[in-house]
Amino acid sequence: MTVHDLQPLLRPENFSPIKRKFLAHALPRTARNADLLVAPSQAVADKLASRLGVSAERLAVVSVGTEKISDGPNRPTFPPTVLYPAATYPHKNHVVLVEAFARIARRHPDARLVMTGAPGRADDEVQAAVSAVGLGDRIELTGRIPSSELDELLTGASVVAFPSTYEGFGIPVLEALAAGVPVIVGAGTPAADLAGD
């Protein structure tokens, strides 16, 4: 069984009461009954061991990969674009990114912020933050988009921002690095470990 993260146990406030109750029961039960638990990062494996008592013999870390790796840096398109590919869940920290973008927007009048991904539990808060900074024409919330459109945005991005406060791995960080796009990552997550310096 693959366990991507233990967020339902460690940050239950990010889930609806029904999902929180189900996962609080299902995750420990899965950990007890599975022959092998696969984690996408050592950080998740460590949490499975410490929080759920899974022995080292029943744990394996299998990192996520990517289909292709660029042979050099990407070639950003115009206008300069900060890309954040993530649904608007509370732990994804979109509001911090909107506020940070507002601070640099005056110095970079052509820059834009594009946030892709499905609306999540923090969507109203994110929409309010976008309205509050008064840069609505330069900040776009696309919702879900086809992978071909996301690939095009990624290869043309000036930077991928990933300010998430909780991750089991951070696939968008890996995809950005593989595409040769510079990445800014929130500290203290496996995604930050993946990005290195």
Side-chain angles (χ1 to χ4, degrees):
M1 175 66 67
T2 299
V3 177
H4 293 280
D5 61 58
L6 291 182
Q7 186 177 187
L9 302 179
L10 301 173
R11 296 202 179 167
E13 68 277 6
N14 290 340
F15 297 86
S16 69
I18 291 172
K19 192 169 186 179
R20 183 182 320 149
K21 186 173 183 176
F22 170 74
L23 291 172
H25 172 73
L27 278 171
R29 183 171 182 245
T30 298
R32 282 192 308 273
N33 295 324
D35 293 325
L36 180 68
L37 290 172
V38 176
S41 66
Q42 188 60 52
V44 173
D46 292 345
K47 285 183 179 84
L48 284 165
S50 66
R51 179 72 187 229
L52 298 179
V54 178
S55 65
E57 304 82 49
R58 293 181 47 236
L59 279 173
V61 175
V62 179
S63 294
V64 177
T66 182
E67 287 184 30
K68 57 184 177 180
I69 297 175
S70 173
D71 58 359
N74 72 321
R75 291 182 176 81
T77 57
F78 189 86
T81 301
V82 177
L83 176 63
Y84 188 18
T88 52
Y89 296 127
H91 70 281
K92 296 295 186 178
N93 217 10
H94 286 77
V95 172
V96 166
L97 181 57
V98 169
E99 292 168 352
F101 181 76
R103 287 198 301 256
I104 69 160
R106 288 181 286 282
R107 292 192 315 265
H108 302 280
D110 293 324
R112 68 182 181 141
L113 171 60
V114 177
M115 297 181 285
T116 65
R121 292 187 65 224
D123 199 63
D124 290 343
E125 184 183 351
V126 175
Q127 296 278 358
V130 170
S131 294
V133 298
L135 296 168
D137 59 328
R138 294 175 55 195
I139 300 176
E140 182 180 1
L141 285 156
T142 67
R144 289 183 184 208
I145 59 174
S147 59
S148 59
E149 192 175 330
L150 180 58
D151 288 345
E152 188 176 321
L153 277 170
L154 180 62
T155 58
S158 301
V159 65
V160 166
F162 203 78
S164 179
T165 61
Y166 188 95
E167 290 298 319
F169 184 76
I171 292 172
V173 172
L174 176 68
E175 291 172 340
L177 293 170
V181 181
V183 183
I184 299 170
V185 184
T189 67
D193 295 340
L194 179 65
D197 294 336

